[in-house]
Amino acid sequence: EARHEALKALDEWLMTPDSERSDEVIAYYQQAVDRALDTLENERVSEGIRMFQLYSSSVIVQTPETVFAVDLDQGPNKSMTQTAAEEGIGFRMTPEQIARIAALVEVSFHTHEHYDHVDYELTQALCAADKTVVVTKSNKERWQDEPWAEKLEVLNQTVPRPHKVGGLEVDVLWDHQWSNEEHTQGTPCNAYLITTPGGVGVFTKGDINCGLRLYGWLHLMVAEGRHVDLFVGSPIYWRGVSLARQIDELLSPVWALGHVWEFSHRSPGTSGGATGTYTGNLMMNRHHFQHGDPVVLSWGEYLDLPARQ
């Protein structure tokens, strides 16, 4: 209850107009990133996984063997060809934090090329450190003129056999974030089912916003013996059929809800919760989940999940 009250107070503070431009909020965010990185550098889980929440849908997952990330993004910068500093965005990670992430993360998965799910500067730093960065084909083509673009990896779809990526087993579905109701226009978007060496399944759909193809693929994954212990990111579908309840019944995961406090979806000078507040996201989604357990983490918080028995 104390944590819930703290998150409500944090929501009220962040809901003020242009809060992401205030020195106090920027300092709070950077301190939260430091807390996560300090823990990653100084502690190692002995079993299961530890998932750290950063900005919006960005998460870092630590296992006893490796560290991987999903949809790493440092803040509400929108340029895909400039750093946040070059764009003039104050709400960002420090150069030291970006270097620490590049040293820690071994594999970084990106569901699609929208600026709230992939970051120009972080990607550049990871490639410079010879880390594995997995993107969609369209994302790689978008950055084809960058000297590091050849290092970006594109994974084909899977059904019977997962890819082997840095000690992880990775299943992939190609789908879209549709921008119209007819599903004729949209952005390619991958779903990833990442199974750790210890057997913990971490799943993200990114911004796939119709559940029909996804639900069929997940049934195939279950038939092939896969499982999902942790679902990270948004459970919402806004251009098609929502099957969050059916996916919850099929997989019964812990739902670490994403798309929280994404300031790029709030108009300048307006108040409110941007894409969603911590408490609002939890209350809006809680009714979907009768089998799994929803949780919303704030910047820098982490969640431990045990190894599968």
Side-chain angles (χ1 to χ4, degrees), residues 85-105:
E86 290 169 341
E87 193 181 346
I89 304 297
F91 188 106
R92 61 180 188 265
M93 295 179 185
T94 67
E96 293 77 15
Q97 289 172 337
I98 291 171
R100 292 169 73 187
I101 286 175
L104 283 164
V105 172

PDB file of all heavy atoms in Angstrom, residues 85-105:
ATOM      1  N   ALA A  85      20.766  14.955 -27.366  1.00  0.00           N
ATOM      2  CA  ALA A  85      21.412  16.253 -27.137  1.00  0.00           C
ATOM      3  C   ALA A  85      21.379  17.099 -28.402  1.00  0.00           C
ATOM      4  O   ALA A  85      21.100  18.310 -28.359  1.00  0.00           O
ATOM      5  CB  ALA A  85      22.847  16.046 -26.666  1.00  0.00           C
ATOM      6  N   GLU A  86      21.656  16.487 -29.544  1.00  0.00           N
ATOM      7  CA  GLU A  86      21.620  17.213 -30.812  1.00  0.00           C
ATOM      8  C   GLU A  86      20.206  17.695 -31.131  1.00  0.00           C
ATOM      9  O   GLU A  86      20.021  18.748 -31.740  1.00  0.00           O
ATOM     10  CB  GLU A  86      22.134  16.324 -31.939  1.00  0.00           C
ATOM     11  CG  GLU A  86      23.627  16.043 -31.858  1.00  0.00           C
ATOM     12  CD  GLU A  86      24.076  14.956 -32.819  1.00  0.00           C
ATOM     13  OE1 GLU A  86      23.215  14.167 -33.280  1.00  0.00           O
ATOM     14  OE2 GLU A  86      25.285  14.879 -33.087  1.00  0.00           O
ATOM     15  N   GLU A  87      19.218  16.919 -30.705  1.00  0.00           N
ATOM     16  CA  GLU A  87      17.828  17.295 -30.935  1.00  0.00           C
ATOM     17  C   GLU A  87      17.365  18.360 -29.944  1.00  0.00           C
ATOM     18  O   GLU A  87      16.327  18.984 -30.141  1.00  0.00           O
ATOM     19  CB  GLU A  87      16.943  16.047 -30.823  1.00  0.00           C
ATOM     20  CG  GLU A  87      15.536  16.227 -31.338  1.00  0.00           C
ATOM     21  CD  GLU A  87      14.703  14.965 -31.180  1.00  0.00           C
ATOM     22  OE1 GLU A  87      15.278  13.901 -30.920  1.00  0.00           O
ATOM     23  OE2 GLU A  87      13.472  15.063 -31.314  1.00  0.00           O
ATOM     24  N   GLY A  88      18.125  18.549 -28.864  1.00  0.00           N
ATOM     25  CA  GLY A  88      17.767  19.543 -27.860  1.00  0.00           C
ATOM     26  C   GLY A  88      16.813  19.039 -26.802  1.00  0.00           C
ATOM     27  O   GLY A  88      16.085  19.823 -26.183  1.00  0.00           O
ATOM     28  N   ILE A  89      16.811  17.732 -26.561  1.00  0.00           N
ATOM     29  CA  ILE A  89      15.943  17.120 -25.552  1.00  0.00           C
ATOM     30  C   ILE A  89      16.724  16.963 -24.255  1.00  0.00           C
ATOM     31  O   ILE A  89      17.739  16.256 -24.208  1.00  0.00           O
ATOM     32  CB  ILE A  89      15.415  15.750 -26.031  1.00  0.00           C
ATOM     33  CG1 ILE A  89      14.696  15.885 -27.375  1.00  0.00           C
ATOM     34  CG2 ILE A  89      14.502  15.131 -24.978  1.00  0.00           C
ATOM     35  CD1 ILE A  89      13.471  16.760 -27.346  1.00  0.00           C
ATOM     36  N   GLY A  90      16.262  17.589 -23.193  1.00  0.00           N
ATOM     37  CA  GLY A  90      16.957  17.506 -21.909  1.00  0.00           C
ATOM     38  C   GLY A  90      16.685  16.218 -21.161  1.00  0.00           C
ATOM     39  O   GLY A  90      17.543  15.730 -20.423  1.00  0.00           O
ATOM     40  N   PHE A  91      15.482  15.662 -21.343  1.00  0.00           N
ATOM     41  CA  PHE A  91      15.110  14.414 -20.677  1.00  0.00           C
ATOM     42  C   PHE A  91      15.767  13.275 -21.432  1.00  0.00           C
ATOM     43  O   PHE A  91      15.241  12.784 -22.439  1.00  0.00           O
ATOM     44  CB  PHE A  91      13.588  14.262 -20.668  1.00  0.00           C
ATOM     45  CG  PHE A  91      13.076  13.107 -19.847  1.00  0.00           C
ATOM     46  CD1 PHE A  91      12.454  13.320 -18.625  1.00  0.00           C
ATOM     47  CD2 PHE A  91      13.190  11.804 -20.307  1.00  0.00           C
ATOM     48  CE1 PHE A  91      11.965  12.262 -17.887  1.00  0.00           C
ATOM     49  CE2 PHE A  91      12.711  10.737 -19.575  1.00  0.00           C
ATOM     50  CZ  PHE A  91      12.097  10.967 -18.360  1.00  0.00           C
ATOM     51  N   ARG A  92      16.938  12.868 -20.965  1.00  0.00           N
ATOM     52  CA  ARG A  92      17.718  11.842 -21.661  1.00  0.00           C
ATOM     53  C   ARG A  92      18.697  11.220 -20.679  1.00  0.00           C
ATOM     54  O   ARG A  92      18.895  11.723 -19.573  1.00  0.00           O
ATOM     55  CB  ARG A  92      18.489  12.446 -22.834  1.00  0.00           C
ATOM     56  CG  ARG A  92      19.501  13.520 -22.433  1.00  0.00           C
ATOM     57  CD  ARG A  92      20.228  14.077 -23.652  1.00  0.00           C
ATOM     58  NE  ARG A  92      21.323  14.972 -23.294  1.00  0.00           N
ATOM     59  CZ  ARG A  92      21.223  16.295 -23.232  1.00  0.00           C
ATOM     60  NH1 ARG A  92      20.065  16.875 -23.496  1.00  0.00           N
ATOM     61  NH2 ARG A  92      22.281  17.033 -22.913  1.00  0.00           N
ATOM     62  N   MET A  93      19.315  10.134 -21.095  1.00  0.00           N
ATOM     63  CA  MET A  93      20.376   9.541 -20.304  1.00  0.00           C
ATOM     64  C   MET A  93      21.659  10.344 -20.499  1.00  0.00           C
ATOM     65  O   MET A  93      21.843  11.020 -21.517  1.00  0.00           O
ATOM     66  CB  MET A  93      20.600   8.088 -20.726  1.00  0.00           C
ATOM     67  CG  MET A  93      19.431   7.178 -20.450  1.00  0.00           C
ATOM     68  SD  MET A  93      19.776   5.481 -21.003  1.00  0.00           S
ATOM     69  CE  MET A  93      18.187   4.711 -20.670  1.00  0.00           C
ATOM     70  N   THR A  94      22.535  10.250 -19.524  1.00  0.00           N
ATOM     71  CA  THR A  94      23.833  10.902 -19.648  1.00  0.00           C
ATOM     72  C   THR A  94      24.741  10.050 -20.538  1.00  0.00           C
ATOM     73  O   THR A  94      24.512   8.843 -20.713  1.00  0.00           O
ATOM     74  CB  THR A  94      24.488  11.066 -18.278  1.00  0.00           C
ATOM     75  OG1 THR A  94      24.810   9.765 -17.751  1.00  0.00           O
ATOM     76  CG2 THR A  94      23.556  11.798 -17.306  1.00  0.00           C
ATOM     77  N   PRO A  95      25.790  10.643 -21.103  1.00  0.00           N
ATOM     78  CA  PRO A  95      26.740   9.845 -21.881  1.00  0.00           C
ATOM     79  C   PRO A  95      27.330   8.694 -21.073  1.00  0.00           C
ATOM     80  O   PRO A  95      27.557   7.596 -21.615  1.00  0.00           O
ATOM     81  CB  PRO A  95      27.813  10.860 -22.279  1.00  0.00           C
ATOM     82  CG  PRO A  95      27.094  12.178 -22.287  1.00  0.00           C
ATOM     83  CD  PRO A  95      26.104  12.089 -21.168  1.00  0.00           C
ATOM     84  N   GLU A  96      27.558   8.919 -19.780  1.00  0.00           N
ATOM     85  CA  GLU A  96      28.098   7.859 -18.927  1.00  0.00           C
ATOM     86  C   GLU A  96      27.107   6.709 -18.786  1.00  0.00           C
ATOM     87  O   GLU A  96      27.495   5.531 -18.802  1.00  0.00           O
ATOM     88  CB  GLU A  96      28.457   8.420 -17.551  1.00  0.00           C
ATOM     89  CG  GLU A  96      29.612   9.405 -17.545  1.00  0.00           C
ATOM     90  CD  GLU A  96      29.213  10.796 -18.043  1.00  0.00           C
ATOM     91  OE1 GLU A  96      27.993  11.085 -18.132  1.00  0.00           O
ATOM     92  OE2 GLU A  96      30.128  11.586 -18.357  1.00  0.00           O
ATOM     93  N   GLN A  97      25.816   7.014 -18.658  1.00  0.00           N
ATOM     94  CA  GLN A  97      24.805   5.967 -18.546  1.00  0.00           C
ATOM     95  C   GLN A  97      24.693   5.167 -19.838  1.00  0.00           C
ATOM     96  O   GLN A  97      24.552   3.939 -19.801  1.00  0.00           O
ATOM     97  CB  GLN A  97      23.455   6.592 -18.182  1.00  0.00           C
ATOM     98  CG  GLN A  97      23.409   7.118 -16.754  1.00  0.00           C
ATOM     99  CD  GLN A  97      22.152   7.913 -16.458  1.00  0.00           C
ATOM    100  OE1 GLN A  97      21.498   8.446 -17.363  1.00  0.00           O
ATOM    101  NE2 GLN A  97      21.809   8.018 -15.184  1.00  0.00           N
ATOM    102  N   ILE A  98      24.773   5.841 -20.977  1.00  0.00           N
ATOM    103  CA  ILE A  98      24.722   5.135 -22.257  1.00  0.00           C
ATOM    104  C   ILE A  98      25.911   4.202 -22.390  1.00  0.00           C
ATOM    105  O   ILE A  98      25.780   3.042 -22.836  1.00  0.00           O
ATOM    106  CB  ILE A  98      24.669   6.149 -23.416  1.00  0.00           C
ATOM    107  CG1 ILE A  98      23.309   6.860 -23.398  1.00  0.00           C
ATOM    108  CG2 ILE A  98      24.905   5.465 -24.762  1.00  0.00           C
ATOM    109  CD1 ILE A  98      23.207   8.021 -24.351  1.00  0.00           C
ATOM    110  N   ALA A  99      27.091   4.652 -21.966  1.00  0.00           N
ATOM    111  CA  ALA A  99      28.282   3.799 -22.025  1.00  0.00           C
ATOM    112  C   ALA A  99      28.143   2.607 -21.090  1.00  0.00           C
ATOM    113  O   ALA A  99      28.551   1.479 -21.430  1.00  0.00           O
ATOM    114  CB  ALA A  99      29.516   4.613 -21.661  1.00  0.00           C
ATOM    115  N   ARG A 100      27.552   2.812 -19.918  1.00  0.00           N
ATOM    116  CA  ARG A 100      27.364   1.702 -18.972  1.00  0.00           C
ATOM    117  C   ARG A 100      26.387   0.674 -19.526  1.00  0.00           C
ATOM    118  O   ARG A 100      26.591  -0.539 -19.384  1.00  0.00           O
ATOM    119  CB  ARG A 100      26.876   2.238 -17.624  1.00  0.00           C
ATOM    120  CG  ARG A 100      27.907   3.071 -16.888  1.00  0.00           C
ATOM    121  CD  ARG A 100      27.292   3.803 -15.706  1.00  0.00           C
ATOM    122  NE  ARG A 100      26.992   2.916 -14.602  1.00  0.00           N
ATOM    123  CZ  ARG A 100      26.323   3.298 -13.511  1.00  0.00           C
ATOM    124  NH1 ARG A 100      25.855   4.547 -13.404  1.00  0.00           N
ATOM    125  NH2 ARG A 100      26.096   2.429 -12.539  1.00  0.00           N
ATOM    126  N   ILE A 101      25.314   1.137 -20.172  1.00  0.00           N
ATOM    127  CA  ILE A 101      24.353   0.214 -20.776  1.00  0.00           C
ATOM    128  C   ILE A 101      25.021  -0.590 -21.887  1.00  0.00           C
ATOM    129  O   ILE A 101      24.836  -1.811 -21.999  1.00  0.00           O
ATOM    130  CB  ILE A 101      23.131   0.984 -21.301  1.00  0.00           C
ATOM    131  CG1 ILE A 101      22.260   1.429 -20.121  1.00  0.00           C
ATOM    132  CG2 ILE A 101      22.310   0.132 -22.273  1.00  0.00           C
ATOM    133  CD1 ILE A 101      21.086   2.303 -20.509  1.00  0.00           C
ATOM    134  N   ALA A 102      25.810   0.071 -22.713  1.00  0.00           N
ATOM    135  CA  ALA A 102      26.496  -0.623 -23.808  1.00  0.00           C
ATOM    136  C   ALA A 102      27.464  -1.676 -23.286  1.00  0.00           C
ATOM    137  O   ALA A 102      27.692  -2.697 -23.941  1.00  0.00           O
ATOM    138  CB  ALA A 102      27.224   0.388 -24.686  1.00  0.00           C
ATOM    139  N   ALA A 103      28.028  -1.437 -22.105  1.00  0.00           N
ATOM    140  CA  ALA A 103      28.930  -2.423 -21.510  1.00  0.00           C
ATOM    141  C   ALA A 103      28.164  -3.587 -20.888  1.00  0.00           C
ATOM    142  O   ALA A 103      28.635  -4.732 -20.895  1.00  0.00           O
ATOM    143  CB  ALA A 103      29.804  -1.752 -20.446  1.00  0.00           C
ATOM    144  N   LEU A 104      26.964  -3.320 -20.363  1.00  0.00           N
ATOM    145  CA  LEU A 104      26.209  -4.336 -19.636  1.00  0.00           C
ATOM    146  C   LEU A 104      25.382  -5.245 -20.543  1.00  0.00           C
ATOM    147  O   LEU A 104      25.332  -6.458 -20.356  1.00  0.00           O
ATOM    148  CB  LEU A 104      25.271  -3.659 -18.632  1.00  0.00           C
ATOM    149  CG  LEU A 104      25.886  -3.116 -17.355  1.00  0.00           C
ATOM    150  CD1 LEU A 104      24.921  -2.140 -16.681  1.00  0.00           C
ATOM    151  CD2 LEU A 104      26.237  -4.258 -16.414  1.00  0.00           C
ATOM    152  N   VAL A 105      24.695  -4.669 -21.505  1.00  0.00           N
ATOM    153  CA  VAL A 105      23.713  -5.403 -22.309  1.00  0.00           C
ATOM    154  C   VAL A 105      24.423  -6.191 -23.406  1.00  0.00           C
ATOM    155  O   VAL A 105      25.204  -5.640 -24.178  1.00  0.00           O
ATOM    156  CB  VAL A 105      22.681  -4.432 -22.918  1.00  0.00           C
ATOM    157  CG1 VAL A 105      21.786  -5.156 -23.917  1.00  0.00           C
ATOM    158  CG2 VAL A 105      21.853  -3.775 -21.815  1.00  0.00           C
TER     159      VAL A 105
END
